[in-house]
Amino acid sequence: MQMRAARHNYCLRAVAILVALLLLPVAHADATVGGNPRAPIPLTASNKTQPWRVRLLWAFDVMDTASGGRARGWKAPALIDLRLTRRQRLQSGLDSYWHIDLIRIFGSNPSRDAGDIQVLDNLAAHHAWRLYRAFWQVGDAREHWALRLGWQGYDELFGLVSDDGGDLLNSSFGQMPTSSQAGTPIWPQTAPGVSARWHPDAFYVMAGLWSGVPRDPGIPQGLNLPRRGDGGLQALELGLDRHGRYKLALGAWALHRAGVAQQAHRGVYALADIVLLGAGSARRIGGFVQWGQTQPYQSAIGRYVGAGLRWTTRHHGHVSLGMARALLSPSFRLQHPGGARAETAYELTWRKRIDAQLALQPDVQYIVHPALAPRAGHALEIGLRVDGSF
């Protein structure tokens, strides 16, 4: 009992110190300066030039299963990202962009304690060093097209709700679980591929093709090279996108292994990301909704629905609220009897940039009916993310 009381007192002191730091008046810094290592790299052309630049980005989470779930305790996933970039103008007038990420993943996975299937922390992954991204991108800002070749992730281009869902730590908000858990090339293991985007006005079309199936536990380290029989992934997304105002999109994907028709895996999705109040100003409220569907007999999650709100101010940072509901497939429920039909995650997070190189983000999540712990209670997660760059 004394150890438990001491632990609670320590937690209260830590929370008090954190709140004091967050309330300090600090100068506003653009979020793009700090460089969140989990932020997607947009597939757009630019007129800017930049010589080779080397940066070290990092993120560290501490998550505590305060009640419910499989077990109580702390988990601390972390990421270090060595990033090299270069942007130049070619003689033809095209924009050329080189991007390389070498990452080191370590720490522990909070979902092991919570028992959730959606992965409540988007840093959590197997310990590994890996060449995460290595691509060359070329495009024309005047003609509104861009092409990307090399090792890249499906999750940083397709099915994104961009700003309004970007701060939420639960993995479902970054990439819908109907596709992320199907074996698509996502964080932290990408695959060689080609993707293209054409955006003449509000309308845009984006397509991608990847070689290989990257989510292979037999390749825990290094570079994911395509192998015979791996098959590939095809993706297509159409939509309307007015930067700073709204994004409406419909998409579809197909994942298969060569010569094995019964392992073909397909899905569709739709999303809307809209500024509700204050478009174009430093203080605004935005919201998003997500929907995804895949074949329930081939996936643990057959359908997904997500939604969220984000309040942004210049001096107080970003406050985000989200709900992610994953409907479990019949085959999964047969393997895990006694569970509910769906797992639902609620998240409240506050991201505040301390300066251009450092951000703090307290986070609270409540997991209703954790799918991998059907006989456990609803899980309450309390945590903190610290990320920055040099």
Side-chain angles (χ1 to χ4, degrees):
M1 292 296 293
Q2 291 180 350
M3 293 181 63
R4 183 177 298 178
R7 179 185 175 190
H8 284 301
N9 289 335
Y10 174 78
C11 293
L12 290 174
R13 289 196 298 269
V15 170
I17 293 172
L18 173 62
V19 171
L21 286 172
L22 292 173
L23 294 178
L24 287 174
V26 297
H28 172 72
D30 191 343
T32 59
V33 177
N36 181 354
R38 290 291 283 113
I41 309 301
L43 181 56
T44 55
S46 171
N47 291 319
K48 299 179 181 179
T49 59
Q50 172 196 300
W52 280 108
R53 183 184 183 189
V54 180
R55 302 179 67 194
L56 184 67
L57 300 90
W58 53 273
F60 177 79
D61 290 355
V62 177
M63 304 294 290
D64 179 27
T65 305
S67 66
R70 282 174 171 167
R72 308 284 178 87
W74 294 89
K75 293 291 186 289
L79 165 68
I80 297 176
D81 182 347
L82 180 63
R83 178 172 297 179
L84 290 81
T85 58
R86 183 190 184 189
R87 189 180 293 275
Q88 62 182 139
R89 297 285 292 174
L90 302 179
Q91 290 184 354
S92 60
L94 299 180
D95 168 60
S96 172
Y97 178 62
W98 294 89
H99 188 109
I100 300 172
D101 284 295
L102 181 64
I103 61 173
R104 176 70 171 100
I105 309 165
F106 53 96
S108 46
N109 188 349
S111 291
R112 292 180 180 177
D113 288 343
D116 72 302
I117 196 172
Q118 297 187 73
V119 187
L120 63 90
D121 191 307
N122 59 18
L123 288 186
H126 294 293
H127 290 205
W129 64 266
R130 181 170 292 128
L131 183 62
Y132 173 48
R133 297 187 187 103
F135 64 77
W136 175 59
Q137 181 174 302
V138 63
D140 191 331
R142 295 167 299 179
E143 299 296 331
H144 310 287
W145 64 268
L147 176 71
R148 180 177 296 179
L149 303 168
W151 272 260
Q152 54 187 294
Y154 166 87
D155 56 334
E156 62 181 312
L157 299 175
F158 293 85
L160 293 180
V161 291
S162 62
D163 293 340
D164 293 322
D167 289 339
L168 294 164
L169 302 188
N170 194 294
S171 298
S172 290
F173 298 115
Q175 183 61 213
M176 302 180 209
T178 46
S179 56
S180 66
Q181 300 199 19
T184 53
I186 65 168
W187 160 264
Q189 192 160 321
T190 57
V194 55
S195 55
R197 178 185 171 102
W198 181 53
H199 191 172
D201 194 14
F203 172 78
Y204 75 92
V205 57
M206 185 165 55
L209 174 64
W210 282 262
S211 172
V213 179
R215 298 291 294 279
D216 188 340
I219 316 174
Q221 309 282 347
L223 187 64
N224 176 29
L225 297 173
R227 298 173 297 175
R228 185 177 180 181
D230 274 353
L233 168 72
Q234 301 87 39
L236 177 68
E237 182 174 301
L238 308 173
L240 299 173
D241 190 351
R242 287 285 190 186
H243 296 296
R245 294 186 179 182
Y246 64 83
K247 175 183 177 180
L248 307 174
L250 295 172
W253 53 269
L255 177 70
H256 64 89
R257 288 188 182 273
V260 188
Q262 61 267 31
Q263 288 194 16
H265 199 158
R266 298 177 176 86
V268 294
Y269 62 87
L271 63 90
D273 189 354
I274 302 174
V275 176
L276 303 174
L277 292 172
S281 67
R283 177 177 295 182
R284 68 183 185 90
I285 297 177
F288 69 89
V289 292
Q290 306 164 292
W291 171 85
Q293 176 96 29
T294 187
Q295 297 127 310
Y297 57 86
Q298 287 188 326
S299 177
I301 299 174
R303 185 181 304 161
Y304 166 79
V305 178
L309 292 171
R310 187 195 201 196
W311 177 52
T312 301
T313 68
R314 180 175 296 274
H315 298 292
H316 300 294
H318 313 298
V319 178
S320 300
L321 176 66
M323 181 278 294
R325 181 173 176 83
L327 278 74
L328 306 174
S329 66
S331 59
F332 178 86
R333 295 203 305 272
L334 285 175
Q335 296 175 10
H336 300 79
R341 293 175 56 87
E343 173 187 286
T344 306
Y346 300 94
E347 181 175 358
L348 175 64
T349 192
W350 177 19
R351 180 176 175 84
K352 185 174 178 64
R353 186 157 294 285
I354 303 304
D355 57 29
Q357 283 77 39
L358 180 66
L360 297 179
Q361 184 174 346
D363 185 82
V364 178
Q365 296 187 44
Y366 191 66
I367 315 296
V368 179
H369 300 304
L372 298 177
R375 293 177 175 81
H378 307 327
L380 174 63
E381 294 286 329
I382 301 174
L384 171 68
R385 169 167 293 182
V386 183
D387 64 76
S389 63
F390 299 100

